[in-house]
Amino acid sequence: MPMLAPVLYTFRRCPYAMRARLALHTSGVPVEPREILLKDKPAALLQASPKGTVPVLVLADGLVLEQSVDIMLWALQQSDPLHWLPADHAALQDTLACIATNDGPFKQALDRYKYPARFGLDSVTTAREAATDLLMAWEQRLQKQPFLNGAHWGMLDAATAPFVRQFAHTDATWFAQQAWPRLAQWLTAFEDSAAFAAVMQKQPLWQAPAQ
Ligand SMILES: N[C@@H](CCC(=O)N[C@@H](CS)C(=O)NCC(=O)O)C(=O)O
């Protein structure tokens, strides 16, 4: 009997889903992508993962991975031809700590910067400054090594670049004026990459088969 491909519930513009798609793409593990709308989540997604966020990966044996970082790790543990996984335990701990900073304080500042009114803010300045402090740490890291991961692009780069991209696009003129030349180059390289183009291809919305 043919093995069923894992099912990936995804939303094209979600940065968490992008990082999962990037890792799955580099791993070469085939999945069945199911593009959904966040405002109209299919019952099958909520049944697999009642918390209702994407990405969600449902494996052939029924195991459900409902955190983007777990999906990245799973994909890269199946196959990691470009050596995206951190090289040792210490590097993995560093990667996970950096991703936690991205998903915690940076994402919090990013949301306030993008949608100040939602947070009752009159100005984006404080949020932008908070995000900038964190991005300056990336700039310093990128001045010492070509990628956040080290000598080559890796899991940490793929996990953070979609979020930095959202920040950059919120006010592209302002972003271009800041003193982060390496960060800007790193982001441009990401946006110009074949991997990014591949995972951003438009997919039709998934429709549940009629009962
Ligand atoms: N911690 C989760 C966060 C995923 C997440 O928050 N995704 C957003 C979309 S970018 C979502 O699904 N939000 C639910 C909604 O908007 O209803 C992960 O890493 O996968």
Side-chain angles (χ1 to χ4, degrees):
M1 214 167 83
M3 269 292 283
L4 288 179
V7 167
L8 178 72
Y9 291 96
T10 180
F11 177 63
R12 183 172 175 270
R13 286 185 293 116
C14 166
Y16 300 98
M18 278 180 214
R19 65 159 63 138
R21 296 198 304 269
L22 285 162
L24 286 161
H25 177 263
T26 195
S27 75
V29 172
V31 295
E32 178 195 331
R34 293 184 178 176
E35 179 74 21
I36 65 129
L37 289 177
L38 293 174
K39 57 178 192 288
D40 186 17
K41 292 171 192 158
L45 164 62
L46 296 172
Q47 207 176 346
S49 175
K51 77 177 170 47
T53 64
V54 290
V56 165
L57 188 70
V58 183
L59 301 181
D61 64 3
L63 191 71
V64 177
L65 301 179
E66 47 186 0
Q67 291 295 335
S68 53
V69 172
D70 293 339
I71 297 173
M72 292 187 90
L73 287 170
W74 179 86
L76 297 169
Q77 280 156 5
Q78 308 311 302
S79 165
D80 185 18
L82 299 182
H83 309 288
W84 279 23
L85 277 175
D88 56 31
H89 182 72
L92 176 63
Q93 292 312 111
D94 175 57
T95 290
L96 295 178
C98 291
I99 293 175
T101 300
N102 178 86
D103 293 10
F106 183 72
K107 177 70 161 82
Q108 195 180 66
L110 174 63
D111 287 344
R112 282 161 180 71
Y113 179 40
K114 279 172 62 187
Y115 310 112
R118 273 191 209 170
F119 296 93
L121 301 172
D122 298 331
S123 149
V124 296
T125 310
T126 307
R128 190 163 69 184
E129 280 171 7
T132 298
D133 287 348
L134 297 164
L135 291 178
M136 279 301 179
W138 289 161
E139 170 68 16
Q140 279 158 21
R141 193 165 167 131
L142 291 168
Q143 292 199 358
K144 294 195 205 102
Q145 56 191 40
F147 299 98
L148 294 179
N149 179 66
H152 61 83
W153 181 272
M155 176 172 168
L156 178 55
D157 301 276
T160 51
F163 295 82
V164 179
R165 178 173 173 271
Q166 277 198 351
F167 180 87
H169 286 261
T170 304
D171 184 345
T173 308
W174 182 89
F175 188 86
Q177 289 163 348
Q178 306 313 301
W180 40 42
R182 284 291 304 116
L183 185 77
Q185 263 176 15
W186 170 86
L187 183 61
T188 302
F190 168 60
E191 291 185 308
D192 290 348
S193 68
F196 182 64
V199 305
M200 292 306 282
Q201 271 178 24
K202 287 209 167 127
Q203 302 286 342
L205 270 189
W206 180 69
Q207 305 281 358
Q211 292 296 321

